């Protein structure tokens, strides 16, 4: 398990709590510190965090954001870089859960900022990493959302543990600092004004502003039996039905009464992007589905084909032609993500991944039979392998291990995985039926 450690009071308290838990349960704890290179003292802060992590028996790794530059959107850019660095390091270490130290004060500050026009998303205790594809299969656990900042500092004082105070926290050029100052100035500060939780996190960051369709779900500790919470009633056909039958090929299926936030999440997962749709176009699409209309439409890089009870989502071929994914060269044994939708691992050198578009006529008869069973619009968006010696194209499943990412990504976004162990298990729909790519058919 990993913990994000800045050296500030909140993350230092979380480090101590997590280290106590890890010792009790015989777990390895990895602390990750990101140096944003935005302050002359940042190297000293990073060193302090590393020493603190080692003192409590945690492994530690320092990470550096080397593309730091001043200018508009600095806070958002730093946040995205931090999440990306942490996700890469956590996955490399074999962790699938990262602990973050947001508190009740952070929630109140974010509510204050949103009330004044900020698009900052709401956070959940248990949510997917917001970066894609670095954060694939990675969950964030925020166990301190009901704790006050000052209470955590009292805890550290009792342990004789110091912490860092970043001067940016009182620099009112930043929205978060203005929020802190405003809330401190309020009378009755002990009663923080809170709006409550939301879907937040992962591919659905910020969607909770579109009608309160979700409940706040409290996650279990990694070894605790959870209470299963489904924030979206019946977003998909019943489990065991057709909804995952073509997921291996990047085709997802939803029901016509899907909620707006679940539909947005499904669209971005099918399209392989990172920015969910919102507003009038999403509302109009959902209304057409609810009305029972048969139609084809595109949104967020995804194509929607609604016919009868069937609503299928897949990569939009027109969008793929306009913004074609580049070729990805495969390194044996190293998983590579192509088009945000497929994770591909080759066993031998010399292969690269490209789209089937423009190459389908050159596929083998067996590969063309596989394509014929898929929706026509989905066929050109599948990955094929091309070899440096001229061999190919062949559907990627023939010579590599291919895992479709959409189904698991969507499941995590909707809060359907509530146990750490579930993040390591294969998911139905990630890979095709075992006999689909049998060499006897080639």
């Amino acid at each position: 398990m990993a913990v994000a450690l800045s050296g500030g009071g909140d993350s230092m308290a979380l480090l101590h709590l997590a280290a106590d838990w890890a010792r009790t349960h015989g777990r390895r704890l990895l602390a990750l510190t990101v140096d944003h290179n935005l302050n002359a003292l940042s190297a000293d802060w990073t060193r302090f965090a590393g020493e603190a992590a080692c003192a409590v028996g945690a492994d530690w790794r320092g990470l550096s954001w080397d593309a730091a530059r001043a200018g508009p959107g600095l806070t958002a850019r730093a946040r995205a870089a931090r999440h990306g660095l942490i996700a890469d390091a956590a996955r490399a270490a074999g962790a699938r859960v990262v602990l973050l130290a947001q508190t009740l004060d952070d929630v109140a500050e974010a509510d204050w900022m949103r009330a004044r026009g900020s698009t900052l998303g709401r956070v959940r205790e248990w949510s997917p990493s917001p970066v894609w594809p670095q954060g694939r299969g990675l969950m964030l656990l925020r166990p301190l959302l009901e704790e006050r900042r000052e209470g955590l500092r009292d805890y550290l004082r009792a342990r004789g543990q110091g912490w860092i105070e970043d001067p940016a926290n009182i620099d009112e050029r930043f929205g978060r600092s203005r929020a802190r100052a405003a809330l401190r100035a309020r009378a009755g500060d002990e009663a923080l004004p809170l709006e409550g939780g939301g879907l937040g996190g992962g591919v659905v960051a910020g969607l909770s502003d579109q009608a309160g369709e979700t409940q706040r779900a409290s996650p279990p500790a990694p070894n605790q039996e959870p209470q299963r919470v489904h924030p979206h009633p019946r977003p998909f056909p019943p489990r065991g039905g057709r909804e995952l039958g073509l997921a291996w090929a990047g085709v997802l299926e939803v029901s016509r009464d899907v909620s707006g936030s679940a539909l947005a999440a499904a669209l971005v997962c099918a399209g392989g992007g990172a920015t969910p749709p919102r507003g009038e176009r999403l509302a109009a699409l959902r209304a057409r589905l609810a009305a029972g209309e048969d139609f084809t439409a595109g949104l967020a890089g995804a194509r929607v084909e609604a016919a009868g009870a069937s609503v299928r989502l897949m990569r939009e071929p027109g969008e793929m032609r306009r913004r074609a994914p580049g070729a990805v060269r495969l390194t044996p044994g190293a998983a590579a993500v192509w088009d945000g939708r497929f994770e591909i691992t080759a066993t031998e050198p010399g292969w690269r991944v490209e789209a089937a578009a423009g190459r389908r006529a050159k596929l083998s008869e067996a590969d063309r039979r596989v394509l014929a069973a898929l929706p026509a619009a989905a066929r050109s968006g599948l990955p094929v392998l091309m070899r440096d010696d001229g061999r190919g194209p062949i559907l990627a499943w023939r010579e590599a291990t291919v895992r479709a990412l959409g189904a698991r990504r969507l499941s995590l976004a909707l809060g359907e995985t509530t146990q750490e162990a579930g993040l390591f298990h294969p998911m139905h729909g990630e890979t095709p039926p075992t006999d689909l790519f049998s060499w006897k058919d080639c």
Side-chain angles (χ1 to χ4, degrees), residues 268-289:
V268 78
C269 291
T275 305
R278 61 175 67 194
E280 294 181 0
R281 293 188 66 192
L282 179 65
L285 179 61
R286 186 184 176 210
R288 294 178 74 183
L289 291 174

Side-chain angles (χ1 to χ4, degrees), residues 26 31 34 55 58 98 145 182 203 218 259 278 284 318 349 423:
V34 177
V98 177
L145 286 183
V203 299
S218 297
S259 68
R278 61 175 67 194
L423 302 173

Side-chain angles (χ1 to χ4, degrees), residues 271-312:
T275 305
R278 61 175 67 194
E280 294 181 0
R281 293 188 66 192
L282 179 65
L285 179 61
R286 186 184 176 210
R288 294 178 74 183
L289 291 174
E293 180 183 348
D294 291 347
F295 65 94
T296 297
L299 185 59
R303 178 185 179 92
V304 181
E305 294 185 351
S310 172
V311 182
R312 286 175 167 171

Side-chain angles (χ1 to χ4, degrees), residues 106-392:
D106 291 302
V107 175
E109 290 157 8
D111 286 344
W112 186 93
M113 294 166 69
R114 275 191 299 273
R116 287 151 184 82
S118 171
T119 58
L120 193 66
R122 292 183 174 88
V123 296
R124 286 183 293 166
E125 289 175 287
W126 179 249
S127 64
S129 168
V131 288
W132 189 259
Q134 305 99 309
R136 61 192 185 278
L138 189 67
M139 296 297 287
L140 307 180
L141 176 60
R142 302 175 177 89
L144 303 181
L145 286 183
E146 295 184 358
E147 301 297 329
R148 294 297 305 274
R149 193 171 286 144
E150 190 57 32
L152 295 176
R153 281 149 180 74
D154 288 342
Y155 167 75
L156 291 174
R157 292 184 188 104
R159 285 196 161 208
Q161 174 65 62
W163 63 89
I164 295 166
E165 289 290 356
D166 186 346
N169 291 335
I170 56 173
D171 185 342
E172 294 197 13
R173 289 177 299 172
F174 302 109
R176 175 74 65 174
S177 300
R178 293 194 297 274
R180 289 184 182 185
L183 291 175
R184 277 197 304 268
R186 282 190 177 184
D189 182 53
E190 291 303 312
L192 289 174
L194 301 176
E195 296 178 10
L199 192 58
V203 299
V204 285
L207 291 175
S208 53
D209 291 333
Q210 305 170 21
E213 297 172 313
T214 65
Q215 303 173 25
R216 188 178 182 204
S218 297
N223 67 330
Q224 178 183 348
E225 185 67 24
Q227 176 182 1
R228 191 171 180 83
V229 178
H230 293 283
H232 299 284
R234 298 196 304 115
F236 304 109
R239 288 283 181 188
R242 296 183 297 148
E243 79 276 13
L244 295 179
L246 297 178
W248 67 269
V251 180
L252 303 177
E253 194 163 334
V254 301
S255 62
R256 284 189 173 271
D257 60 350
V258 63
S259 68
S261 51
L263 177 59
L267 286 165
V268 78
C269 291
T275 305
R278 61 175 67 194
E280 294 181 0
R281 293 188 66 192
L282 179 65
L285 179 61
R286 186 184 176 210
R288 294 178 74 183
L289 291 174
E293 180 183 348
D294 291 347
F295 65 94
T296 297
L299 185 59
R303 178 185 179 92
V304 181
E305 294 185 351
S310 172
V311 182
R312 286 175 167 171
L313 282 62
M314 63 207 75
R315 186 73 154 92
E316 169 55 54
E319 180 70 15
M320 196 165 189
R321 285 193 297 272
R322 288 188 292 273
R323 296 180 178 85
V328 174
R329 186 165 294 280
L330 299 177
T331 300
V337 175
W338 179 79
D339 196 37
R341 298 180 299 131
F342 296 97
E343 183 184 81
I344 304 172
T345 308
T347 58
E348 59 182 38
W351 291 108
R352 68 182 185 276
V353 187
E354 300 193 23
R359 300 176 175 88
R360 287 161 47 190
K362 297 181 180 179
L363 291 170
S364 68
E365 181 181 348
D367 278 353
R368 290 198 298 273
R369 285 200 303 269
V370 171
L371 292 184
L374 302 176
R379 298 168 189 169
S380 293
L382 292 188
V384 298
L385 296 183
M386 305 288 292
R387 195 163 175 81
D388 293 344
D389 60 11
R391 181 182 170 192

